[in-house]
Amino acid sequence: MASQLVRDWTGIQQFPTATQNKLLELLGKLKQENVNTLTILVMGKGGVGKSSTVNSILGERVAAVCAFQSEGLRPMMCSRSRAGFTLNIIDTPGLVEGGYINEHALEIIKRFLLNKTIDILLYVDRLDVYRVDNLDRQVIKAITDTFGKAIWQRAAVILTHAQLSPPDGLGYDDFSMKRSEALLKVVRLGARIKKQEFQGSTIPVVLVENSGRCNTNEGREKILPNGTAWIPNLVKTITDVVSNGSKAIVVDKKLIEGPNPNDKGKFLIPLILAFQYFFVVKRIQRAIKDDIANESRPLWELRDMGLAKRRF
Ligand code: GDP
Ligand code: MG
């Protein structure tokens, strides 16, 4: 990561003073916890607003945003520093192409991340989508198979296009809660996280509106229809996740080239079965045979075999 060009984070000055102050306060808190670097990985399907979210967080146009074309295949890392704090943010190409998981894109992302430490995954989707489907589940599964289940303890779900009027007469908060719940359920299923495991550490969901037409409050801060200033809220969630006690994801050769990180220990299964066969099943079989051989037969059986003397 040292080879990466780190520029001064000038984009922060684009934010209104209230947002700037909140961001600097949050980053200052992390510094107090001896966290001086934050590496954010942004992933999701194509066209959901990943690159726009990267630009919104930095307050600069660093990632190419495109409505119609599929993104290039290469991930992009942008590094900015401010007051002794370095923010690395990695934008990635969409993981779905033509209705399938783009394994090639995933492979390129993996290689790009080699020797990097991921502090948080931002899994991006849109708020204004009403259904989840099997493809969503496949995307989550692909991410889980690449980085291991633990990545979800270091994750936040980002829902873009959050300036909307909900359908079916639902209230804004009701609608966003329903959409969040549906997506979190897919995350849980795709990542094969047990319900109990999941309840302990719920993945936070953050609503985002990247459009230049996003409403603002009296302090010129961009706000959602429910009044939340979303940029400080997003950064607050990021700092909460990195301080939640879970480990950052170290992307090393073992993780990239080794077996599926969720299959750790599965190679032991045939050994355990063989052990059980030879040391447990075989022993029991032998014991049963010995038992049968030593068994004193009941009179009626000996009689049937013609071995007992007839007494009548
Ligand atoms: P990516 O493919 O996931 O990187 O998505 P992009 O950031 O390139 O965005 C795809 C399209 O959606 C572009 O036309 C963006 O301007 C638009 N877009 C992204 N986020 C938002 C948002 O929050 N609100 C609105 N209205 N449009 C957005
Ligand atoms: Mg993009």
Side-chain angles (χ1 to χ4, degrees), residues 45-52 63-66 69-72 91-94:
K45 294 184 289 190
V48 292
K50 297 182 297 299
S51 304
S52 305
V65 168
C66 193
Q69 258 169 355
S70 74
E71 311 137 289
D91 189 19
T92 62

Side-chain angles (χ1 to χ4, degrees), residues 263-283:
D263 289 346
K264 250 187 234 161
K266 279 197 183 160
F267 68 93
L268 287 174
I269 291 174
L271 290 178
I272 293 169
L273 287 176
F275 176 86
Q276 281 183 341
Y277 180 72
F278 288 109
F279 291 93
V280 182
V281 178
K282 278 270 181 201
R283 266 180 189 213

Side-chain angles (χ1 to χ4, degrees), residues 13 83 89 112 136 195 197 270 291:
Q13 290 158 11
I89 180 154
F112 182 87
D136 293 305
K195 223 173 186 166
E197 275 178 281
D291 235 26

